Amino acid sequence: MSISRSDARSLSAEASKKGAAILGGQLSQKEGRFVINKIDALELLEKYAGKNIIFIIGEVKDNETGQVKTCLTCGRDYIDSECPHCARVRSRLRGSR
């Protein structure tokens, strides 16, 4: 199951605040090794050998169409030219509905 880009950012930000190591990016396989942003995933895991860890992995929804955007204000994903949630809030605050 994939998660939205904004949810992935929130999850990684919260984990980082708690002191967790975060690694994200495109997963590829080169010469039998799994690589994420030029970092060998196996080498990263070897660093934690013998320790009690939680390993969380999730697929972030792909942005194939180039239309799905994440609002920098509220963090929601949207397709339109502007975030519909923030547009409604601005409209409501300005007094026009």
Side-chain angles (χ1 to χ4, degrees):
M1 181 170 102
S2 58
I3 60 175
S4 72
R5 192 172 305 277
S6 61
D7 286 344
R9 284 190 191 129
S10 297
L11 181 62
S12 62
E14 188 63 30
S16 181
K17 287 179 192 174
K18 304 287 184 186
I22 307 299
L23 177 61
Q26 185 73 35
L27 176 65
S28 60
Q29 191 172 10
K30 296 180 182 175
E31 300 173 9
R33 307 289 289 195
F34 286 98
V35 178
I36 303 171
N37 290 344
K38 299 181 182 178
I39 296 174
D40 188 314
L42 184 58
E43 287 179 13
L44 179 68
L45 290 173
E46 286 173 346
K47 175 179 161 183
Y48 294 101
K51 296 181 181 171
N52 187 12
I53 67 166
I54 294 176
F55 182 74
I56 300 172
I57 189 166
E59 178 186 358
V60 178
K61 288 182 184 173
D62 199 8
N63 193 0
E64 291 177 4
T65 62
Q67 295 176 334
V68 177
K69 303 169 196 156
T70 301
C71 180
L72 298 176
T73 303
C74 70
R76 289 179 171 87
D77 291 336
Y78 65 98
I79 297 174
D80 301 329
S81 60
E82 65 178 341
C83 173
H85 171 75
C86 290
R88 283 191 303 274
V89 170
R90 278 194 303 278
S91 176
R92 190 174 65 240
L93 290 174
R94 290 180 183 152
S96 59
R97 292 183 182 230

